[in-house]
Amino acid sequence: MRTEAEAAGPPLEPGDFVQLPVPIIQQLYHWDCGLACSKMVLRYLGHLDDGEFESALRELRLTRSIWTIDLAYLMRHFGVRHRFCTQTLGVDKGYKNQSFYRKHFDTEETRVNQLFAQAKACKVLVEKCTVSVQDIQEHLAQGHVAIVLVNSGVLHCDLCSSPVKYCCFAPSGHRCFCRTPDYQGHFVVLRGYNRATGCIFYNNPAYADPGMCSTSISNFEEARTSYGTDEDILFVYLDS
């Protein structure tokens, strides 16, 4: 007869399971998911002051169009150690006809490209590189967190109500995302993983209940590498 411990399988090794206490902060508008993610990260690091945050938004001129490079500058503003990894150093002109980017593309292209050009001088760390799931897990295992750009039309939370019925910005109480063929950019905060079950834990600023979300590594990879994301990931470090 197997004991209860044997039935449960081999014990997890250190680093096989990580779940960081990152607070959930819900976004206020359809466009500010990146700012809500930044607030979660800054609060986790103990850097968040609402007055200072609003002042930083004004100083950096962050309005209704938020790109990952904007979030990197925001981290730098607060003296937070960071590393922004992307596949494109600037704006990919191929996105001009994408419905998600079309409205603000012409007005934002110059601004965003200028931020990339000035990044080194402004001590904003940007690298053109590929990031693996193993790289992400190693980062999280050290207590650090990350903000990731995903295609919300692909991302599916295994802990939320199923089947998915509602889109992300529906009235309060309506959760999760609809699957759609069009790219829908959205930021989430990574906060852990479970190697035994092959899942990634994250906070979705689109809603505060039920709290932490979870998805399979394969679904996470599909969502973060979708065309339109540039595989953007902003690594943020605890020792800031």
Side-chain angles (χ1 to χ4, degrees):
M1 178 182 249
R2 300 175 72 194
T3 66
E4 190 173 320
E6 289 172 332
L12 292 175
E13 294 294 328
D16 282 347
F17 180 89
V18 174
Q19 192 176 117
L20 303 174
V22 181
I24 303 238
I25 296 177
Q26 193 167 12
Q27 64 194 85
L28 299 176
Y29 311 102
H30 71 279
W31 54 269
D32 71 334
C33 55
L35 300 184
C37 287
S38 297
K39 280 188 171 183
M40 294 186 216
V41 168
L42 291 170
R43 183 165 291 173
Y44 173 69
L45 298 176
H47 287 290
L48 184 61
D49 175 279
D50 288 336
E52 290 181 9
F53 190 82
E54 293 302 319
S55 176
L57 298 189
R58 290 191 296 271
E59 184 174 330
L60 296 173
R61 298 180 182 178
L62 300 184
T63 54
R64 295 196 173 197
S65 182
I66 306 297
W67 296 61
T68 318
I69 187 70
D70 289 314
L71 305 185
Y73 271 81
L74 189 57
M75 291 300 122
R76 175 67 187 92
H77 179 92
F78 284 95
V80 172
R81 189 160 70 93
H82 62 279
R83 177 177 168 235
F84 171 26
C85 297
T86 182
Q87 292 295 303
T88 307
L89 296 176
V91 176
D92 186 334
K93 287 185 177 295
Y95 296 158
K96 185 171 184 176
N97 295 319
Q98 286 268 320
S99 60
F100 181 80
Y101 288 102
R102 189 179 300 129
K103 183 178 180 181
H104 299 289
F105 190 91
D106 290 334
T107 56
E108 287 291 278
E109 183 181 15
T110 300
R111 182 187 75 85
V112 172
N113 283 337
Q114 187 173 32
L115 289 177
F116 273 94
Q118 296 174 343
K120 185 175 181 180
C122 294
K123 298 183 179 179
V124 174
L125 182 57
V126 181
E127 294 181 25
K128 182 179 180 180
C129 61
T130 298
V131 175
S132 70
V133 170
Q134 290 71 30
D135 294 330
I136 294 171
Q137 289 175 332
E138 288 178 12
H139 180 77
L140 295 169
Q142 297 175 64
H144 310 313
V145 292
I147 300 174
V148 183
L149 180 61
V150 299
N151 182 350
S152 65
V154 170
L155 190 66
H156 171 71
C157 175
D158 295 328
L159 301 180
C160 293
S161 57
S162 183
V164 178
K165 295 180 180 179
Y166 304 108
C167 290
C168 59
F169 306 119
S172 178
H174 292 180
R175 301 182 259 185
C176 286
F177 298 105
C178 294
R179 290 186 72 89
T180 170
D182 296 327
Y183 170 74
Q184 294 293 322
H186 187 62
F187 290 105
V188 298
V189 178
L190 300 187
R191 57 181 291 181
Y193 60 87
N194 186 336
R195 280 204 177 102
T197 58
C199 65
I200 293 285
F201 302 135
Y202 63 95
N203 285 359
N204 185 346
Y207 55 91
D209 179 42
M212 184 186 74
C213 288
S214 174
T215 192
S216 66
I217 286 177
S218 60
N219 179 249
F220 170 67
E221 285 294 274
E222 181 186 4
R224 83 174 183 94
T225 60
S226 291
Y227 181 73
T229 66
D230 282 330
E231 298 185 29
D232 284 4
I233 179 167
L234 180 60
F235 290 109
V236 180
Y237 296 85
L238 187 62
D239 52 340
S240 297

